[in-house]
Amino acid sequence: MKIFATYNIKGGVGKTATAVNLSYLAAREGYRVLLWDLDAQGAATFLFRVRPRVKGGGKALIRGTRSIDNAIKATDFDRLDLLPADFTYRNLDLVLDAAKKPARRLGSLLAPLRAEYDVVFLDCPPGISLLSESVLQAADTLLVPLIPTTLSVRTLDQLTEFIAGLNGHKPSILAFFSMIDGRKRLHKEISEQLPEQRGDVAATVIPAMSMIERMSVERAPVAAFAPLSAAARRYTELWAEVRERSGLPEPKPDDAW
Ligand SMILES: Nc1ncnc2c1ncn2[C@@H]1O[C@H](COP(=O)(O)OP(=O)(O)OP(=O)(O)O)[C@@H](O)[C@H]1O
Ligand SMILES: [Mg+2]
């Protein structure tokens, strides 16, 4: 089981769009996928048309009074399950604080699911908190969407430094450019140069596209409602790159949709 987390301290950079699209594409390819919506805003839960309410809320999950298995919901897509966000997540940090070894909590909650899923995506809220520490401990790879400005490179450096300073487990980082505006020269320059200069920046970029914005109207991943669109193709490329770099074994081909 590989655990990917879409993570950035910054908000509105494409974390949820990435988690939703890549989890869909992974399931389509034959992997058994769980998407855990860790954001109280519940955007990923909304996009997959899953009812957000978890009995007892996220608190019960983190405290261990409710098993994770019971909270997992099926989506409209085969092999793709979702752990919904619940409004109580707004207190998640406090609950984590009260848990034993809070930074390990997410990882230990996921451990029993190893046999059930090949791939897990954690869709994180923006910011840096106890929850993010727990995510950093649990994740094998952080997928970091970057808006192409010189500041975004600083953000990536800061994150890299922060992770290097962690004790114990350190997730690997794979950043990629998100919401590139093709008309802006700076966007073009940075998004072409940085992947060549840095091994932790993906070659695939996700442009700003109205088809991606449409996800919130269609309430589905792009490749589900517009399979032939340029947006679907970009996410397919990104998933291929993520999959290859993370060394995920091939899925059974006869399982693909
Ligand atoms: N490549 C893109 N092109 C155009 N719109 C995009 C793109 N990626 C995301 N969006 C839109 O931008 C908004 C923010 O995207 P998203 O929710 O994925 O970001 P986020 O990083 O998860 O935000 P938050 O920090 O609030 O969780 C959404 O309305 C989404 O539809
Ligand atoms: Mg989000």
Side-chain angles (χ1 to χ4, degrees):
M1 185 171 85
K2 284 264 182 217
I3 303 178
F4 299 101
T6 52
Y7 179 75
N8 194 318
I9 295 174
K10 282 184 197 295
V13 293
K15 298 181 292 294
T16 299
T18 305
V20 163
N21 284 298
L22 298 196
S23 55
Y24 170 86
L25 291 166
R28 193 177 73 175
E29 232 173 23
Y31 295 104
R32 297 164 304 164
V33 182
L34 175 68
L35 170 58
W36 189 345
D37 186 352
L38 283 167
D39 190 344
Q41 296 173 90
T45 305
F46 172 83
L47 290 172
F48 276 118
R49 300 167 183 260
V50 169
R51 282 187 55 215
R53 191 82 191 105
V54 174
K55 203 173 160 206
K59 279 185 193 169
L61 262 187
I62 301 290
R63 285 197 189 122
T65 51
R66 185 184 161 77
S67 87
I68 197 166
D69 250 352
N70 291 331
I72 291 174
K73 306 271 177 88
T75 66
D76 293 341
F77 307 104
D78 273 355
R79 283 191 300 275
L80 177 49
D81 293 340
L82 185 134
L83 201 47
D86 182 280
F87 197 55
T88 52
Y89 272 30
R90 71 189 188 282
N91 297 322
L92 207 56
D93 254 18
L94 287 176
V95 180
L96 275 173
D97 225 0
K100 277 184 232 148
K101 298 190 181 151
R104 300 261 169 85
R105 196 71 192 110
L106 282 191
S108 50
L109 282 170
L110 286 168
L113 301 175
R114 274 191 182 271
E116 275 173 67
Y117 295 101
D118 306 308
V119 181
V120 174
F121 284 94
L122 305 174
D123 184 27
C124 301
I128 182 140
S129 60
L130 203 48
L131 173 64
S132 354
E133 273 180 51
S134 198
V135 165
L136 299 183
Q137 283 287 332
D140 295 300
T141 304
L142 299 184
L143 303 174
V144 184
L146 297 175
I147 310 288
T149 65
T150 37
L151 271 182
S152 67
V153 181
R154 262 196 79 214
T155 311
L156 181 57
D157 284 335
Q158 284 167 344
L159 180 62
T160 308
E161 260 172 52
F162 181 72
I163 287 173
L166 290 177
N167 291 322
H169 173 78
K170 297 178 184 34
S172 58
I173 296 181
L174 182 57
F176 62 95
F177 285 110
S178 172
M179 297 193 200
I180 293 194
D181 183 343
R183 293 163 306 180
K184 291 187 180 155
R185 219 174 95 206
L186 184 68
H187 275 206
K188 222 170 157 286
E189 279 172 13
I190 294 183
S191 64
E192 282 169 6
Q193 286 164 6
L194 212 65
E196 287 171 10
Q197 293 162 0
R198 298 181 61 136
D200 56 353
V201 181
T204 312
V205 303
I206 305 290
M209 289 175 154
S210 50
M211 196 60 94
I212 298 175
E213 270 184 285
R214 269 202 78 73
M215 284 172 57
S216 54
V217 180
E218 303 281 347
R219 294 184 69 184
V222 148
F225 68 85
L228 301 177
S229 63
R233 205 166 56 235
R234 290 300 182 126
Y235 279 118
T236 307
E237 275 171 34
L238 182 62
W239 170 239
E241 186 170 359
V242 168
R243 196 191 80 176
E244 183 160 334
R245 281 179 174 238
S246 66
L248 197 65
E250 293 272 326
K252 287 188 235 122
D254 48 326
D255 274 354
W257 301 336

